[in-house]
């Protein structure tokens, strides 16, 4: 009887508290020395729930074409720490396909979706609607974020601003030597005009490394990731304990100086 009870409780816990850091990409074999399995968070996540009973989840976007590179390592460090806090995450890989930028057609203002319904955009949009926060990471390319990532983020923010409002956001920049602060600031810019609380850390969210895997040696950088994740978990718990969202003025004023 006791044995039966233990089994029943275990099944219930498994169902009620699904352990997840899902990866929507990549599906192919991992060619690098750092395997995704090695870096997957090991403990249960998704136990912390919102007012509807849904487990809280953070969207992680790896803005590097190197799917298991240093940006991936930095994001996984944050994911593991989120999981320690009972919060799940899902990774979206920017990949290596050509990117579509925003063409300012304003189609999304009428439909709520970008006119280009490519796979990457659709996955990002759907994940943003189901996730409660976002962490975007990018390698530093000539002192700038990866252009592919910027194409996606700009289209996502323009079309899905309603899904992003009030959700905590953090940026992570990875570099060999310099330019990461510019990347960090650039990544934060759209979030700062979508009423998204910015999650900070003990330092700017920067991790150092050049070749794939080198970021694992940047102890301070990885600690910065863990602190950021703890801060994000703390903020999410605070927000979802109190289901009220901040009051916003109904009319969004637009002041264009050139008529
Ligand atoms: C096109 C290109 C430009 C780069 N520019 C910079 C740079 O301006 N500053 C820097 O410190 N590292 C630069 N790097 C190095 C990468 O930022 C570094 O290797 C980083 O770890 C890559 O992250 P990933 O492993 O996630 O792809 C550059 C790399 C590439 C491929």
């Amino acid at each position: 009887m006791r044995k039966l009870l233990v089994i029943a409780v275990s099944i219930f816990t498994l169902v009620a508290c699904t352990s997840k850091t899902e990866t929507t990409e990549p599906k192919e074999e991992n060619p690098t020395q750092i395997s995704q399995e090695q870096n997957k968070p090991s403990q249960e996540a998704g136990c912390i729930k919102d007012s509807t009973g849904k487990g809280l989840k953070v969207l992680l976007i790896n803005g590097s074409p190197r799917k298991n590179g240093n940006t991936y390592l930095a994001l996984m460090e944050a994911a593991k720490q989120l999981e320690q806090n009972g919060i799940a995450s899902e990774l979206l890989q920017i990949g290596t396909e050509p990117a579509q930028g925003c063409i300012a057609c304003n189609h999304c203002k009428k439909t709520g979706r970008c006119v280009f319904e490519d796979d990457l955009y659709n996955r990002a949009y759907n994940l943003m609607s189901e996730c409660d926060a976002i962490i975007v990471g990018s390698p530093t390319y000539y002192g700038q974020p990866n252009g592919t990532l910027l194409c996606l983020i700009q289209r996502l923010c323009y079309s899905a601003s309603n899904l992003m409002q009030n959700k905590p956001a953090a940026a992570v920049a990875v570099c060999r030597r310099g330019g990461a602060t510019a990347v960090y600031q650039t990544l934060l810019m759209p979030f700062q005009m979508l009423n998204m609380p910015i999650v900070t850390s003990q330092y700017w969210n920067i991790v150092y490394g050049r070749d794939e895997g080198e970021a694992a040696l940047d102890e301070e950088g990885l600690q910065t990731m863990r602190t950021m994740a703890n801060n994000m978990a703390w903020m999410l718990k605070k927000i979802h304990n109190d289901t009220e969202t901040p009051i916003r003025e109904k009319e969004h004023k637009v002041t264009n100086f050139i008529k």
Side-chain angles (χ1 to χ4, degrees):
M1 185 66 191
R2 225 180 123 197
K3 223 175 178 180
L4 262 175
L5 194 69
V6 170
I7 293 168
V9 169
S10 308
I11 292 170
F12 176 78
T13 312
L14 253 175
V15 172
C17 193
T18 44
S19 169
K20 277 183 193 164
T21 289
E22 296 161 25
T23 311
T24 54
E25 280 283 299
K27 286 174 188 105
E28 323 94 78
E29 261 318 289
N30 168 16
T32 59
Q33 70 272 41
I34 309 285
S35 84
Q36 284 194 303
E37 283 310 312
Q38 272 172 306
N39 286 287
K40 263 191 179 163
S42 58
Q43 292 183 11
E44 287 175 348
C47 297
I48 307 296
K49 308 215 183 295
D50 66 12
S51 58
T52 68
K54 179 185 84 65
L56 297 181
K57 188 155 87 169
V58 176
L59 169 59
L60 311 171
I61 300 184
N62 177 12
S64 170
R66 300 203 295 193
K67 60 190 178 187
N68 296 305
N70 294 316
T71 310
Y72 170 79
L73 280 185
L75 291 174
M76 284 304 103
E77 194 69 13
K80 279 186 269 185
Q81 202 59 32
L82 285 169
E83 194 162 340
Q84 295 288 326
N85 284 279
I87 293 174
S89 57
E90 185 156 349
L91 179 69
L92 177 69
Q93 298 274 16
I94 199 80
T96 53
E97 294 297 311
Q100 174 64 55
C102 176
I103 60 166
C105 66
N106 282 327
H107 170 89
C108 64
K109 294 298 135 207
K110 291 178 215 131
T111 65
R113 299 288 290 230
C114 180
V115 71
F116 301 109
E117 296 249 354
D118 51 90
D119 189 43
L120 183 65
Y121 167 82
N122 281 336
R123 279 187 288 133
Y125 185 97
N126 293 339
L127 284 170
M128 198 63 239
S129 72
E130 67 186 60
C131 285
D132 307 282
I134 182 171
I135 304 175
V136 174
S138 177
T140 301
Y141 287 170
Y142 296 103
Q144 300 169 315
N146 177 13
T148 313
L149 175 69
L150 291 183
C151 284
L152 174 70
I153 292 295
Q154 287 161 7
R155 288 167 60 208
L156 186 68
C157 288
Y158 206 39
S159 62
S161 59
N162 60 323
L163 298 176
M164 301 173 89
Q165 300 279 336
N166 305 321
K167 293 181 179 176
V172 172
V174 175
C175 76
R176 176 188 73 84
R177 189 169 179 83
T181 50
V183 171
Y184 180 65
Q185 288 166 354
T186 303
L187 291 176
L188 286 177
M189 293 298 273
F191 304 146
Q192 291 175 137
M193 57 187 289
L194 293 180
N195 296 303
M196 301 176 83
I198 302 300
V199 181
T200 58
S201 187
Q202 65 199 51
Y203 193 84
W204 300 306
N205 291 321
I206 293 171
V207 177
Y208 287 88
R210 184 182 71 173
D211 296 332
E212 281 178 303
E214 272 184 7
L217 304 174
D218 180 12
E219 285 182 28
E220 183 177 347
L222 295 181
Q223 185 181 59
T224 305
M225 294 300 102
R226 295 193 296 275
T227 304
M228 178 266 287
N230 283 336
N231 291 343
M232 180 169 271
W234 170 76
M235 200 184 276
L236 279 170
K237 287 172 192 171
K238 290 277 175 203
I239 289 169
H240 290 277
N241 269 344
D242 177 1
T243 52
E244 293 292 317
T245 51
I247 296 164
R248 307 262 184 244
E249 290 180 30
K250 280 204 172 63
E251 186 201 350
H252 189 135
K253 293 193 188 301
V254 179
T255 309
N256 294 327
F257 290 99
I258 301 166
K259 301 279 178 196

